[in-house]
Amino acid sequence: MDNNTIALLKKIELLDSLSDEELKDISVAFVIKKVNKNELVLHEEDTNNVMYMVLSGELKVVQTSATGNEIILAIHESGEFFGEISLIDGKTSPATVISAKESLIAIISKQDFFWLIGKHGKIRDKLLQILCVRLRDSWEKIRMLTMKDPAERIKALFL
């Protein structure tokens, strides 16, 4: 793997604590793929056997409403990753992921993912921290949505 790709991997939050040598060591576990704008990356309800890391570009997470409208749930940008939950719990994806612009992604299989977190405690610890932050953010959104007073909801949203 070339130095440019190693530099892109280093920008992934999950891998940012690794040295260049450690990144070169684990780079064999990744498949690098270029995706074109509007290309389907992951289909809703697929059982996902890989995790994705966005090296460059932008991917949108969408669901289709009953009327056929696309609802954007999230945007994954450079440095972010997704799909790890399906690898851990074996359940399907709750949404479709489509490239919003030409992107470069790194893909890691379930087997290599578990090898990676087993071999590198730094990655395992970082994954746990990231998942905790995501869970706390979800709790905060739920708290905000359950506030009875609309003024409180708006205030919490801006804070």
Side-chain angles (χ1 to χ4, degrees), residues 44 62-71:
E44 182 177 358
V62 300
Q63 284 185 329
T64 305
S65 71
T67 59
N69 294 328
E70 183 180 88
I71 301 165

Side-chain angles (χ1 to χ4, degrees), residues 6 21 31 76 79 92 118 125 140 146:
I6 296 297
E21 283 305 311
V31 173
H76 292 301
T92 60
D125 294 347
E140 182 58 29
T146 59

Side-chain angles (χ1 to χ4, degrees), residues 8-83:
L8 290 171
L9 285 172
K10 185 129 184 118
K11 292 180 181 180
I12 302 294
E13 183 180 10
L14 184 63
L15 306 176
D16 64 6
S17 63
L18 298 180
S19 69
D20 288 354
E21 283 305 311
E22 289 171 315
L23 284 169
K24 285 178 186 171
D25 180 44
I26 67 167
S27 67
V28 296
F30 298 100
V31 173
I32 308 301
K33 181 181 177 188
K34 179 182 163 187
V35 291
N36 297 314
K37 183 178 181 178
N38 296 322
E39 187 174 333
L40 179 69
V41 175
L42 176 64
H43 191 274
E44 182 177 358
E45 297 303 322
D46 279 353
T47 301
N48 196 20
N49 292 312
V50 296
M51 183 177 80
Y52 303 87
M53 298 180 182
V54 184
L55 301 178
S56 66
E58 197 172 89
L59 306 172
K60 59 184 178 178
V61 181
V62 300
Q63 284 185 329
T64 305
S65 71
T67 59
N69 294 328
E70 183 180 88
I71 301 165
I72 297 176
L73 303 176
I75 299 288
H76 292 301
E77 298 175 319
S78 297
E80 296 180 356
F81 63 94
F82 62 95

